[in-house]
Amino acid sequence: MLPSDVQDSPIVELAAWLATDPGRHALAWEQVRLDEAVSDVFGFHAMQAGLAELDALRANRMPFKGYVAGAMPSEPQRARWNVFVVADLEALPFDSQSLDLLVLPHTLECSDDPHQVLREAERVLIPEGRLVITGFNPWSLWGAGRLLGRRRSFLPPGIQPLSPARLKDWLKLLSFEVEGGRFGIYAPACRTEKWLRRYAFMESAGERWWPVCGGLYVVSAVKRTVGMRLIGPAWKKQKAPRRAAVATAREVHPLRTGREPSR
């Protein structure tokens, strides 16, 4: 049983929406994109923050994989991670510069203070650590209902979608460098799998003609530290010592003009 303050939270409403046909469609797309984003990230400690319906670290090979959220994952889901932490995502209980990889699947749009969540992400990641974020794109067919002020939005209630442009601005302010991103799900807001399959042809068309209007996005960013310089092996830094300059006397001969000098 979840605590009373968690039962009505946006993350729970999102979990219920993910059990619908469009939700499962979204999960399938995100799982593939997350596998691509984390498969080549190396280190020792990886953490997923929220949304246990996704196994965001499945394709990663780090020895330690953890999960942190406002509630414990279900029993079948716990086999995915080494450790589970119940905590406020706006105040992560981890040491500064202790994680190599942090994944935020829809975490920002389910938070009351998404900027604080990003500040915490910057704090706990090591220099050159990786941050992966997924979210709904408000500038899409799936997000159009919310933009038009419709009472019944297609997206789950309670969440506040964050546009990719604003997200990139926030990341830049926190010294993150965006290194990759993908948009997906260009089909209209269909509530059944039957109609989602009928509009499958729009995926390739959307990626070609209106790529930034996908219903979902995945962003991958690296934490950069101002003034940090990577140091290589000492032997690469050593240079041959300079030889001291030596003054030498030079014998001066008279100019030869073709005749002997007068005596």
Side-chain angles (χ1 to χ4, degrees):
M1 184 68 179
L2 296 175
S4 58
D5 60 339
V6 175
Q7 291 181 14
D8 299 326
S9 67
I11 196 70
V12 174
E13 295 174 339
L14 173 60
W17 183 87
L18 291 173
T20 65
D21 284 352
R24 285 188 287 268
H25 191 68
L27 277 178
W29 183 87
E30 284 192 55
Q31 187 66 69
V32 174
R33 301 288 87 79
L34 286 170
D35 289 347
E36 294 172 352
V38 305
S39 61
D40 292 331
V41 182
F42 301 99
F44 298 96
H45 301 95
M47 188 69 64
Q48 175 178 336
L51 199 61
E53 286 74 17
L54 273 171
D55 187 359
L57 304 175
R58 182 179 68 178
N60 188 262
R61 289 167 282 181
M62 292 189 196
F64 180 90
K65 301 178 183 179
Y67 175 83
V68 57
M72 288 285 287
S74 65
E75 190 66 33
Q77 295 167 341
R78 296 178 189 178
R80 302 172 179 173
W81 304 287
N82 302 113
V83 68
F84 324 100
V85 181
V86 177
D88 184 354
L89 300 184
E90 297 169 6
L92 295 174
F94 308 129
D95 292 337
S96 298
Q97 300 186 8
S98 60
L99 300 180
D100 301 278
L101 169 64
L102 178 62
V103 183
L104 305 178
H106 296 279
T107 310
L108 299 179
E109 56 200 11
C110 293
S111 171
D112 293 332
D113 192 352
H115 204 280
Q116 175 59 26
V117 176
L118 279 180
R119 283 194 290 265
E120 280 294 279
E122 189 278 334
R123 180 184 65 82
V124 300
L125 280 171
I126 66 169
E128 303 300 307
R130 177 81 57 167
L131 178 65
V132 180
I133 300 169
T134 72
F136 290 106
N137 183 11
W139 304 103
S140 66
L141 293 177
W142 282 25
R146 185 181 295 268
L147 291 175
L148 296 175
R150 295 179 182 175
R151 293 184 179 180
R152 188 186 179 192
S153 174
F154 177 74
L155 297 179
I159 67 168
Q160 299 296 326
L162 185 64
S163 71
R166 176 174 292 183
L167 175 59
K168 289 181 179 179
D169 287 341
W170 287 3
L171 290 171
K172 185 177 181 180
L173 288 173
L174 292 170
S175 299
F176 281 99
E177 180 181 346
V178 175
E179 287 201 338
R182 287 288 300 272
F183 290 87
I185 310 297
Y186 296 92
C190 304
R191 298 187 181 274
T192 64
E193 183 64 26
K194 174 183 176 181
W195 283 100
L196 287 169
R197 286 198 301 266
R198 287 190 176 184
Y199 284 105
F201 70 92
M202 294 185 67
E203 293 304 308
S204 57
E207 290 183 356
R208 181 176 181 181
W209 299 110
W210 52 91
V212 297
C213 294
L216 294 165
Y217 62 81
V218 176
V219 173
S220 179
V222 176
K223 175 183 173 181
R224 303 299 190 194
T225 302
V226 178
M228 187 187 74
R229 183 176 62 183
L230 296 178
I231 301 176
W235 61 268
K236 290 185 177 181
K237 301 292 184 180
Q238 293 177 355
K239 296 181 180 180
R242 287 187 175 182
R243 295 181 178 180
V246 178
T248 58
R250 185 176 180 184
E251 185 179 357
V252 180
H253 297 278
L255 293 176
R256 296 185 180 273
T257 60
R259 59 181 180 180
E260 292 294 329
S262 57
R263 295 182 180 177

